[in-house]
Amino acid sequence: MPSAATVQGFDAAMAHALQVASDNERADYAGLLGGVLRVSSVGLAAPGVADAHFTITNGQGTYKERLQFVGTAVPIDGTWRVSWVTMCMLVEEEGVVCPSPPAGAHATVPLPYSVTARRELAAQAPDLLRPQDLVALPDGSLLVADTNRDQILKWSPGGHVSVFAGTGQVGYSGDGGPAVDAELESVGGMALGRNGTLYFTDGNRLRAVSPAGTVTAIAGNGKPGSNCGKGDALDRGLSPGGVAVSPDGSLYVTDGTHEICQISPAGTISTFFKGSGARTYTVGTPEGRVAFLPARLAFAGSGDLVVFNLSPPEILSISPSGELTLLGTGYATQLTTAPGGKVLLASRYGTVQEATKTGLTTLIDLNPPRIAGFGVPGQRPGFQADGIAAAPSGALYLDTDNTNGWSDVTALVRMGLGGKGEVLPIKTPLLATLPAVGAQGFPASVYPPALPSRGSDLPACPGTSGLKAFGPVAVEKALAEARELNSTRRSFYGDLRFTDRAWWPSLFGEWAWSGYERGPHAVDSHSLASHDIFSAAVAQACGKQLVRDSLVVVVGPSSYSSQVSHLYFLDRRGQPLVYFQAS
């Protein structure tokens, strides 16, 4: 790590912060402790300010972390020295709030950020945020559940991407109307019916999109549940996860903690299989005694239902009469039915497997480098498939995103059983499928068009119309939002209602590892933006007026994440909106 002599404005407070960060056992990354720093390049970014590209490699045992940064440096006594703000970035990467800079410390521009936007965006498919479940359509197109947008996207051959369902605003609305105008709560599992109807789990409901594009509710009254019960499916409280369509057209959906529900074509719900807490299998009864937490489902051509059991992680098979068979251990991210009735599963461990009558067979090992640029250099050469779909033509589709710990790219992939793969082209820009100015739920009075940025720190700046000074009520609302961001109860990174339009493109590019930011975050402090260490960079990019009207809330680590975040809020017509996050 840089010594005290190379840190501009170094003082006792920063020394203490570095020490605490190095010893922080709660940190996600232990890059400061025993790490080897290598600077790859230093280039002039502005008069008196340079970009410093460097990597911290930390090898503990057989696992290595390589953390890539772009920080800032300033010339002192003829040498480039790491700036105060860059040291703050490293300290806060380890879950420690950076101290205020000493008098005279250079507030460097450009702003440092982990894994540069240029590098990050260059590796990403331009219209995908966090793709998960996939469904292949007969015409060669692909449906993608994007959980960070609460939307279902449609990829068409040639690379065009459009919205299949969801406005981008989290909520529940639209039944009986076009799926593209519906609000979705939380897109989960998906399955395609024989007539082309798409079934998908959405929050505490099971919904469907007809071939004509109309969305309807199939089961669930919007309240959580853990018991299938018996009766009208729309009257039941549900907590659905995986969904599958049986050969006779019945729907099967996981519910709560230990049941699989069956929904008849007439809309009647009943229990198909129910487990208990024991580890003994009882064959021949739907009340088999098995520790059961079903998560994903798919039907084999034989009529058996193949189940990924989350805890313990196992692949099970249940016959139409309720006989249960353990096929093997493993963690499946999605199951799919391939032509001929084969059930294929994507594994969290970087493989594609087939579930047979007697066990699991590995078809493709994704750990060797199959596709150029996939994997994490020095750690894992392959990638993990988060979704899997088999087309009627026999083509196999996978997706991966760079929040899963295995990949540093987000992409859709077509694979052959021999392991040869290709990345599917995506030619639609991100903003073409995000809600437009004035779209439903996003009025222009609250989300006006973005303004150009003066520099490279921010891709765009929030519009200044409708801004209000932060009063006590607005401050409390902003603090409440900050406590909720990245919590287990909702995802800031998919909930566009809490962000200014100018922030959307950079939000999903620069902070792609945010999928791990889970658990309630504690508010460490709040102040006017002019007091924050990143304010100079924001002011240079977007002007002093924006900083004058902004509130900064510093959010500390959660029980699942070490990250410290500086959230810049605007009050626009009584709504506190985040427009910038630095860490």
Side-chain angles (χ1 to χ4, degrees), residues 129-153:
L129 303 183
R130 195 182 182 199
Q132 298 291 295
D133 281 32
L134 300 175
V135 165
L137 299 180
D139 65 359
S141 58
L142 198 62
L143 298 182
V144 184
D146 196 321
T147 58
N148 266 15
R149 294 171 47 143
D150 296 290
Q151 289 179 308
I152 300 173
L153 304 176

